[in-house]
Amino acid sequence: MTKIKAAFFDIDGTLVSLKTKVYPPSARAAIARLRENGVQCFVATGRSKFEIASEHLLDGIAFDGYLTNNGQDAYSADGKLLYGTPLDPGDAAALLDWVERTGAACWMVSAEQSLLNRLDADVEAAMVSIHTRPPTLGDLRPMLQKPIYKIVLFVPKAELEQALLLAPHSRTTQWFPCGHDVISVEGGKRNAMLGVLARCGLTAQEAIAFGDSENDVEMLRAAGIGVAMANGTPDALAAADYVAPDCDDDGLARALTHFGLI
């Protein structure tokens, strides 16, 4: 087997328990040992860097970099942009026009800001599901002056399909029944992982990736070793090379031990 030199970890349901909102001590110890063994470690999450910081999700764990917004942007540990695939500006503008016409709840993320246009029951339910406070409320229109990395639409699937007709350069990934991330067709965790690996002079075969949800599937398939958590969705489990125990059962550390990486 090719030697593993990089590891990519989803946050919710993988690193951090959806039940307790914190990571198990075994995960922190495992990642520290992994880095001591010369393996570069990266977060690969649908969350933005603003959420990670404000919710203190990963305080106490050192990483070599962060792939955020479902791979739309990636940063080094010191905050340098390593990779970025913002939404097509025309798509972003058309989607915001649609949001303003329909009154849909929308969360927009750029490199500098993370704003929500309105708070309703669907938004509250979605944020409760990931144990996170709702984003700051604000006017989204001025944000179009800068690259937009992610637009979250809190709408039923039928309404989402209508919106996407206006955004031909975009695609979606779902993380809640009414929570959909709109990202560039060139984005996603897989492409961000490959981009970061290339910058490090590494290949996908030299990487191990961990995840539990739909937005992890492409990454799990592309990595040399794809690991799904037992608490994962059926599509994540099907895409993996190995199924680790539940996140709350020290699954991450046990999988790394299984592969002899720690």
Side-chain angles (χ1 to χ4, degrees):
M1 184 177 69
T2 303
K3 184 177 180 181
I4 296 298
K5 298 179 182 177
F8 295 80
F9 303 95
D10 171 55
I11 294 181
D12 298 291
T14 301
L15 270 172
V16 173
S17 168
L18 292 175
K19 299 175 182 177
T20 67
K21 194 188 171 182
V22 298
Y23 58 76
S26 62
R28 178 175 60 184
I31 291 170
R33 179 61 60 85
L34 198 58
R35 296 183 75 225
E36 289 171 4
N37 291 344
V39 178
Q40 296 186 64
C41 294
F42 300 88
V43 172
T45 179
R47 291 181 180 267
S48 70
K49 61 181 181 180
F50 307 103
E51 293 173 81
I52 296 171
S54 66
E55 297 297 320
H56 304 286
L57 292 168
L58 302 177
D59 288 4
I61 307 181
F63 290 94
D64 295 284
Y66 300 82
L67 285 59
T68 57
N69 293 316
N70 278 319
Q72 294 302 97
D73 48 352
Y75 301 87
S76 61
D78 60 3
K80 179 181 178 182
L81 183 67
L82 299 175
Y83 176 90
T85 53
L87 284 164
D88 176 86
D91 283 16
L95 287 170
L96 183 54
D97 288 345
W98 180 86
V99 164
E100 291 174 346
R101 286 198 308 272
T102 62
C106 174
W107 174 16
M108 189 176 286
V109 181
S110 71
E112 293 84 16
Q113 287 182 291
S114 175
L115 292 178
L116 175 72
N117 67 337
R118 58 187 291 264
L119 183 62
D120 62 17
D122 287 338
V123 176
E124 290 182 336
M127 303 313 291
V128 166
S129 76
I130 56 173
H131 305 284
T132 298
R133 291 167 292 181
T136 301
L137 291 171
D139 181 5
L140 305 183
R141 181 62 59 175
M143 291 186 67
L144 294 180
Q145 301 303 312
K146 298 289 182 66
I148 301 300
Y149 286 104
K150 181 178 69 175
I151 290 177
V152 185
L153 296 177
F154 297 93
V155 296
K157 200 108 180 182
E159 292 182 30
L160 175 73
E161 292 171 355
Q162 295 175 15
L164 285 181
L165 293 174
L166 306 172
H169 307 98
S170 304
R171 63 188 178 100
T172 65
T173 182
Q174 185 176 12
W175 55 274
F176 191 71
C178 62
H180 310 271
D181 287 356
V182 181
I183 61 175
S184 166
V185 291
E186 298 176 352
K189 292 186 182 184
R190 171 190 177 275
N191 290 341
M193 179 182 75
L194 295 178
V196 169
L197 286 170
R199 287 189 63 118
C200 298
L202 301 175
T203 68
Q205 288 303 306
E206 295 173 294
I208 185 170
F210 290 76
D212 72 306
S213 298
E214 175 191 336
N215 61 2
D216 299 310
V217 167
E218 292 180 347
M219 179 177 70
L220 296 179
R221 288 176 176 158
I225 302 173
V227 179
M229 313 307 289
N231 51 274
T233 60
D235 51 354
L237 296 174
D241 301 300
Y242 178 80
V243 176
D246 191 286
C247 170
D248 295 291
D249 194 23
D250 300 322
L252 188 148
R254 292 169 67 180
L256 290 171
T257 300
H258 169 81
F259 286 106
L261 296 172
I262 61 173

